[in-house]
Amino acid sequence: MLLLEVISGERLAKPERGKMRVHKISNVNKALDFIASKGVKLVSIGAEEIVDGNAKMTLGMIWTIILRFAIQDISVEETSAKEGLLLWCQRKTAPYKNVNIQNFHISWKDGLGFCALIHRHRPELIDYGKLRKDDPMTNLNTAFDVAEKYLDIPKMLDAEDIVGTARPDEKAIMTYVSSFYHAFSGAQKAETAANRICKVLAVNQENEQLMEDYEKLASDLLEWIRRTIPWLENRVPENTMQAMQQKLEDFRDYRRLHKPPKVQEKCQLEINFNTLQTKLRLSNRPAFMPSEGKMVSDISNAWGGLEGAEKGYEEWLLNEIRRLERLDHLAEKFRQKAAIHEAWTEGKEEMLQCRDYETASLSEIKALLKKHEAFESDLAAHQDRVEQIAAIAQELNELDYYDSPSVNARCQRICDQWDALGALTQKRSEALQRTEKLLETIDQLYLEFAKRAAPFNNWMEGAMEDLQDTFIVHTIEEIQVRQLVPQRDQALIEEHARQQNNERLRRQFANQANVIGPWIQTKMEEIGRISIEMHGTLEDQLTHLRQYEKSIVNYKPKIDQLEGDHQLIQEALIFDNKHTNYTMEHIRVGWEQLLTTIARTINEIENQILTRDAKGISQDQMNEFRASFNHFDRGEAEFSRIMSIVDPNRMGLVTFQAFIDFMSRETADTDTADQVMASFKVLAGDKNYILADELRRELPPDQAEYCIARMAPYTGPDGVPGALDYMSFSTALYGESDL
């Protein structure tokens, strides 16, 4: 009973003073009742056995007392009793490379563990550098002697027993080590303070990293948008079909290869932002405000600008390709007609300038006149072709054909030549008519001769006419026409085959698009239902959603196949498809929205898990919150006040995790600036400032340097050189002042 009063610090019931067995049993029972009142279950320990001197039973009871009053109350972070004591030993001996505490038996055999514990708290008591791992007796005796002399810890262990035993007694070592823990309870208070600070700093460092990641991702995304929009807004057309088709190919690459990762980045950015805000709320920190121009709304606006520029770009490309196709067709038509006309006019000027009528007879003149009249008819017939050539040249000019100057020059040459031919034709006609009149007069003189020579002349004239008719009718042009007919037939056959292939491509694209489009719509509707009707634990919901996401991602090859068919359609210059209402852009946008929506839904569940774990919300409460959220009454009088809490950034929407935070805002067990300040005060030895050496001694290196780099110099009257202001630093951690 005296032992229990000393070790517990409490008074027990008054003992029986008699010497009889019944008095002794009564006293032992009072001791056992006290132990039981402290929540200790005593199994097979009876007062009679202890009074009778049962050594095993007595030792068992003493170990139970040690375990309950010396070890059970030890608490390090979230572990207690034996595990807490072991963790404390591991933490304290971590800087000592030749010490590795894993248990309460063989880890202590070389004595260095005991020496390390003493040196860590009282470095002046042991010269640790002179100790050797291969001299356990010296190490153990040094630790036991120093502990007894300076720390008031009695020698509970024998060095020879520990060295000579394969596996030292675990309970004995645990009991002895617990004496060190209690001896250094003041240091333990400092460690508790350091642990609190480390925990707070770790949260801050993680949040700062998330903020840096957000800022960098936002900057990179905005820079990409800034670079991309001018490219999409550049509507300067190329001169050739090939160059414009390359632009279309570049745009296809942009939509298939370059933009999808940026869609994912934008979605990830929003997810990171929501996760960060959740963590800040849960750790009692102010909401994150990105630097100017990098808010989620800024990125959404920039993205809207990108899609606005993108929206008209493909349509412009296709219109330009149509225009160039029309131009190429017109230019080819111009070249064909010009070439035919130029071939026809070849030699015509020389023929019209020929003075063959000067030596011709009357009949030859009449034949020349007939031939000339035929030429005039032919010339009149060609007037329509010249006008067509001029009209095509005019249309090419109006459509801004890149090679208009050469077209205009050729057209001008044809028109000038045409005018010259007209003038020469008129001149030759007049000359032939004058010559005919002159020769008719002369012919009267030869009439008699002609009558006598009529048979011969008739035969001669007939032969000449036949020869001339052959020359006029069987021309090179007539032969060329006969060659062009089968060529035209072949062109029609080829065009028919091309149109059949185009129709096949249209149907091929439509068959897939008419399946994929409704599939995407169905999945979007399913996700909408899932987010409202989710059942089971949050982990079950998360697993279900991730499996659902996997099934969606596995659909990607069908999208890629459709992209391939779409490319074939564009390369074939097909601009319409009556077999489907879905365009490739419809499918692309729907697919991107589907991936983004499922990712956001998963992130909502992850943030709900964070919130639930931080605030200790039960599954039943979570289900109740979900039901309330789904039926949120916008007509309540307090609506505007509630909205100011759940939508601090005035985004115009309320996320479920913000709603949970509002519903459970009083339940979170979070650190405060005052608690962190109090912890620093412990590390500082109750001073109003702290020194860099104190921070380095009590905190892990990276967190110590984090504090030193950010703490302002202490300016109070009690300060010393190098003093740091931990108070302003603590308030800054919670956004109550600036770091």
Side-chain angles (χ1 to χ4, degrees), residues 525-534 544-545 548 601:
E525 290 168 1
E526 284 178 7
I527 293 171
R529 285 199 303 274
I530 287 170
S531 63
I532 293 173
E533 300 170 359
M534 284 189 285
H544 175 63
L545 281 170
Y548 195 79
T601 307

Side-chain angles (χ1 to χ4, degrees), residues 47-185:
E48 290 83 356
E49 287 87 349
I50 292 171
V51 170
D52 290 342
N54 185 320
K56 185 176 180 182
M57 194 75 74
T58 305
L59 287 170
M61 187 181 75
I62 292 173
W63 171 245
T64 300
I65 292 170
I66 292 170
L67 198 60
R68 170 59 184 85
F69 295 103
I71 296 173
Q72 186 173 314
D73 288 341
I74 293 171
S75 177
V76 178
E77 292 190 2
E78 297 187 4
T79 60
S80 60
K82 179 180 176 181
E83 291 76 17
L85 184 60
L86 183 62
L87 180 60
W88 178 78
C89 294
Q90 290 170 338
R91 290 278 174 83
K92 291 299 180 182
T93 60
Y96 301 86
K97 293 182 180 177
N98 52 359
V99 176
N100 182 17
I101 304 299
Q102 296 297 327
N103 49 57
F104 287 111
H105 39 82
I106 59 174
S107 293
W108 303 87
K109 282 191 70 171
D110 60 12
L112 291 176
F114 296 113
C115 293
L117 282 179
I118 296 170
H119 185 266
R120 178 67 188 271
H121 295 94
R122 297 286 300 276
E124 76 281 3
L125 297 180
I126 289 181
D127 187 352
Y128 191 85
K130 290 185 177 179
L131 300 176
R132 301 199 323 274
K133 196 174 183 68
D134 59 1
D135 188 5
M137 288 294 293
T138 300
N139 299 341
L140 288 164
N141 283 320
T142 299
F144 298 161
D145 291 342
V146 168
E148 185 176 44
K149 184 175 181 181
Y150 295 102
L151 304 176
D152 200 24
I153 297 173
K155 286 186 181 180
M156 303 181 193
L157 305 174
D158 183 88
E160 290 180 357
D161 285 349
I162 292 174
V163 173
T165 306
R167 190 177 187 273
D169 184 73
E170 183 178 48
K171 292 176 180 176
I173 288 181
M174 197 189 308
T175 302
Y176 186 59
V177 170
S178 72
S179 299
F180 283 91
Y181 177 87
H182 292 296
F184 296 129
S185 59

Side-chain angles (χ1 to χ4, degrees), residues 413-428:
R413 286 197 302 273
I414 287 170
C415 290
D416 291 346
Q417 186 188 37
W418 185 252
D419 292 342
L421 284 175
L424 288 171
T425 299
Q426 181 64 29
K427 188 176 177 182
R428 181 173 174 83

Side-chain angles (χ1 to χ4, degrees), residues 581-603:
N581 292 324
Y582 294 100
T583 66
M584 192 64 232
E585 191 58 22
H586 284 142
I587 301 294
R588 286 169 181 156
V589 170
W591 176 251
E592 287 165 358
Q593 286 178 343
L594 184 60
L595 293 178
T596 300
T597 302
I598 187 70
R600 283 176 179 155
T601 307
I602 286 171
N603 178 244

Side-chain angles (χ1 to χ4, degrees), residues 39-53:
V40 178
K41 288 184 179 179
L42 296 167
V43 181
S44 302
I45 297 178
E48 290 83 356
E49 287 87 349
I50 292 171
V51 170
D52 290 342

Side-chain angles (χ1 to χ4, degrees), residues 642-696:
I642 294 171
M643 283 298 290
S644 69
I645 298 170
V646 295
D647 183 22
N649 297 326
R650 300 188 182 281
M651 306 275 286
L653 55 89
V654 182
T655 63
F656 184 45
Q657 60 260 32
F659 184 77
I660 295 170
D661 187 59
F662 167 74
M663 295 293 285
S664 60
R665 61 193 184 281
E666 300 301 327
T667 65
D669 179 20
T670 55
D671 293 298
T672 64
D674 289 341
Q675 290 171 322
V676 174
M677 219 178 293
S679 296
F680 273 119
K681 199 174 184 79
V682 170
L683 299 191
D686 220 31
K687 301 190 297 292
N688 291 323
Y689 58 85
I690 195 164
L691 300 173
D693 287 345
E694 290 171 328
L695 288 167
R696 291 190 176 106

Side-chain angles (χ1 to χ4, degrees), residues 431-496:
L432 285 171
Q433 288 170 1
R434 283 197 308 272
T435 304
E436 181 187 35
K437 288 179 182 178
L438 179 65
L439 288 178
E440 280 178 346
T441 304
I442 295 170
D443 196 51
Q444 294 297 323
L445 299 172
Y446 285 103
L447 185 59
E448 189 63 29
F449 175 78
K451 286 178 180 177
R452 294 177 184 176
F456 178 76
N457 286 339
N458 284 339
W459 175 85
M460 182 66 77
E461 286 175 3
M464 285 178 69
E465 285 178 4
D466 287 345
L467 288 171
Q468 287 171 340
D469 285 345
T470 300
F471 178 75
I472 290 168
V473 175
H474 297 95
T475 60
I476 189 70
E477 287 86 352
E478 184 178 352
I479 293 165
Q480 287 174 337
V481 167
R482 290 183 179 181
Q483 289 174 336
L484 285 172
V485 170
Q487 287 176 10
R488 178 70 172 172
D489 287 345
Q490 183 60 34
L492 286 170
I493 290 168
E494 289 172 0
E495 179 61 24
H496 183 258

